[in-house]
Amino acid sequence: MVDADRGSLFLVEGAAAGKKSLVSKFFDVHAGTPLLPCGSTENSNEVQVPWGKGIIGYVAEHGETVNIPDAYQDRRFNDEIDKLTGYKTKSLLCMPIRNSDGEIIGVAQAINKTPGGAPFSDDDEKVMQMYLPFCGIAIANAQLFAASRKEYDRSRALLEVVNDLFEEQTDLEKIVKKIMHRAQTLLKCERCSVLLLEDIESPVVKFTKSFELLSPKCSADAESSFKDSVEKSSSYSDWLINNSIAELVASTGLPVNVSDAYQDPRFDAEADQISGFHIRSVLCVPIWNSNHQIIGVAQVLNRLDGKPFDDADQRLFEAFVIFCGLGINNTIMYDQVKKSWAKQSVALDVLSYHATCSKAEVDKFKAANIPLVSELGIDDIHFDDFSLDVDAMITAALRMFMELGMVQKFKIDYETLCRWLLTVRKNYRMVLYHNWRHAFNVCQLMFAMLTTGGFQEILTEIEILALIVGCLCHDLDHRGTNNAFQAKSGSALAQLYGTSATLEHHHFNHAVMILQSEGHNIFANLSSKDYSDLMQLLKQSILATDLTLYFERRTEFFELVSKCGYDWNIKDHREIFRSMLMTACDLGAVTKPWEISRQATELVTSEFFEQGDRERFELKLTPSAIFDRNRKDELPRLQLEWIDSICMPLYECLVKLNVKLKPMLDSVAVNRGRDQNPLIPAYFCNCV
């Protein structure tokens, strides 16, 4: 259009003013040149012009048209390209290319007017001025499309990263290698490194693991030399986990982008000397976990095209490393879970050996003659809680199972039942009150209420089995301290189960653990449905001994009874009733004759005082009155309040439901009316 012999097109690259340059997309185009960008062939080399330098740089910076009849007479002209190509530049017309916003996005250059080398005319300038806006539109659209395509490719690559990382979360080395392969693909770099911190909580930055990957696009000789030098030099590994750039990123949490490593004082050139690999540019970013803690750093070295890493590279790498952090963190957590599982497995194995009964004990009770109910007196509501020794309580428990027909009905293996009872006994700690005797006494009272009150005709056999087993297991592994103490002390139990019914959840889980131990499953012959129903009922029974649950449901129970609205066909009514039975048995020491109740009172009071001592000396807290031995003069008043507000209403309601339970209520009234100064009775066991 302007009769030029040759022409060139330079486009602006770099966003910031200090980083802008002009790069040839078409250079030295003439009649015989194929119209392909310089970057389209591997052997072609692009021409890069610094911003503001030479005629092209001047036009780009100032936005002015330059029309020179003789280039060699203009001080801005650089003849280096002429020297390289052997081509003689004479006349030259150079104009800026703008986008729709008026920003300069490139420079077009026409060289040597033909024929005869005359200068470019004013008409030529007008032609180019009319033509270049259309070029600007086309170039801007192409750049937008290229940017959109690039973002699409990067987004797709990040999705592939997510898929990769969350596909493999069992092996740290495998997932880090995937990360490094993906980083090299995304950022087209020669090398990638990942360094993980030894202790993320420590203020001192210390890397414990390092991973290195060289791009396959590096030459085979370079890769071989790098691997040999690294393998032979332990000092290189030391440098990797002690280099100052990585330490700076790990300590500050800020990325570092070094365009020229040898000009940066933080760079240690010793690594290049050791490895034989020349580092030009470094992009290093922190790796965060889901709790926003730095767990390591990732760095890429040397873009394959020789350019430094730009802002777009940094943004992409930071986005990529977010997913990497999650993947690495999940893999580390998985490893910790595996170790925890192994520890738990070992602990359960130890427990099953040390916390289960011996074969000799099982054989002894398996062969023993079991006294009748009448001989043991276990059907008496006023049974003496202290009349049987520890072995006699086992035989009495066996008799209860047989008397209720559970051994026959549920095909319970007798040897398994003996073993289970002995192991349950062994898993009660030697605390003052919440021990095996208390568990047996609660079970005995449940047995007496079921048989005396005739509840066998109302409750199903599955429900009765759940209640009896629940009573025996309801305080398994009790530590002599209540739920409030677990919460105040931040115990492992409170952390594991939370602060609601902490101990009760632990008692149930401990019961399940015993049932799952080899040779202890007394429910082995139940159908799958019966087994599922039974375990649900067992959990309800044990959790019902938490007085918080009792307080939540007793109003509903009292109203149903007072309005004669109890319907045994309604599932919820049956559940409330079973819960009230569990509470009545758990607090049952107050229903026993005075001497039995007094003896139980002394035990529970001593246990409470021990907890109060621990609160005072270990937790540095002032215990409440019922736990404070220094305030024992307040106990009688608290006892009477407890009987009147908690115990008496429950037993009165049960008597309304079944008059055969009246002896229990009568005993509570007698004990309340004693002239002696009363102490806190056993029904305080779960309060506060």
Side-chain angles (χ1 to χ4, degrees), residues 452-498:
T452 302
F455 293 122
Q456 285 176 281
E457 299 173 8
I458 297 171
L459 298 172
T460 66
E461 290 167 320
I462 287 282
E463 287 175 313
I464 291 172
L465 179 59
L467 288 170
I468 292 296
V469 173
C471 287
L472 289 169
C473 297
H474 84 281
D475 272 333
L476 271 170
D477 196 46
H478 200 290
R479 285 92 191 282
T481 51
N482 64 4
N483 284 334
F485 183 86
Q486 309 307 319
K488 291 174 188 174
S489 62
S491 68
L493 289 178
Q495 293 177 42
L496 183 60
Y497 299 112

Side-chain angles (χ1 to χ4, degrees), residues 303-450:
R303 267 178 44 163
L304 289 171
D305 60 6
K307 296 180 180 179
F309 296 103
D310 56 27
D311 293 338
D313 293 328
Q314 183 171 321
R315 288 194 302 272
L316 176 63
F317 198 34
E318 286 175 329
F320 166 75
V321 168
I322 290 173
F323 297 111
C324 297
L326 294 174
I328 291 172
N329 186 59
N330 288 349
T331 306
I332 292 171
M333 287 177 64
Y334 176 83
D335 187 54
Q336 291 172 344
V337 168
K338 279 203 308 182
K339 289 179 180 177
S340 297
W341 180 87
K343 288 179 181 178
Q344 182 185 22
S345 180
V346 171
L348 286 174
D349 184 54
V350 171
L351 180 67
S352 65
Y353 181 82
H354 292 286
T356 56
C357 60
S358 67
K359 185 177 183 302
E361 287 180 298
V362 176
D363 292 342
K364 170 187 169 183
F365 284 96
K366 184 181 176 183
N369 291 321
I370 307 301
L372 299 174
V373 170
S374 57
E375 296 176 66
L376 294 165
I378 53 175
D379 58 344
D380 184 1
I381 283 178
H382 291 147
F383 171 80
D384 184 351
D385 289 351
F386 301 96
S387 61
L388 301 180
D389 62 26
V390 289
D391 284 349
M393 285 188 280
I394 295 290
T395 57
L398 287 167
R399 173 52 64 191
M400 285 188 272
F401 273 87
M402 291 187 286
E403 192 69 20
L404 292 169
M406 292 184 288
V407 175
Q408 298 82 1
K409 168 63 182 176
F410 299 108
K411 298 182 177 61
I412 299 175
D413 180 75
Y414 191 69
E415 181 178 332
T416 301
L417 180 59
C418 293
R419 183 180 298 108
W420 177 79
L421 280 169
L422 288 163
T423 297
V424 167
R425 181 180 73 178
K426 195 170 185 180
N427 279 266
Y428 275 90
R429 300 193 181 199
M430 300 298 290
V431 294
L432 289 169
Y433 183 76
H434 290 93
N435 49 38
W436 163 245
R437 182 173 295 280
H438 168 66
F440 171 79
N441 290 335
V442 172
C443 184
Q444 179 277 321
L445 188 54
M446 178 66 75
F447 175 79
M449 291 177 71
L450 291 172

Side-chain angles (χ1 to χ4, degrees), residues 33-49:
T33 303
L35 295 180
L36 293 174
C38 292
S40 63
T41 59
E42 291 185 4
N43 295 327
S44 62
N45 294 315
E46 67 182 15
V47 175
Q48 188 164 348
V49 177

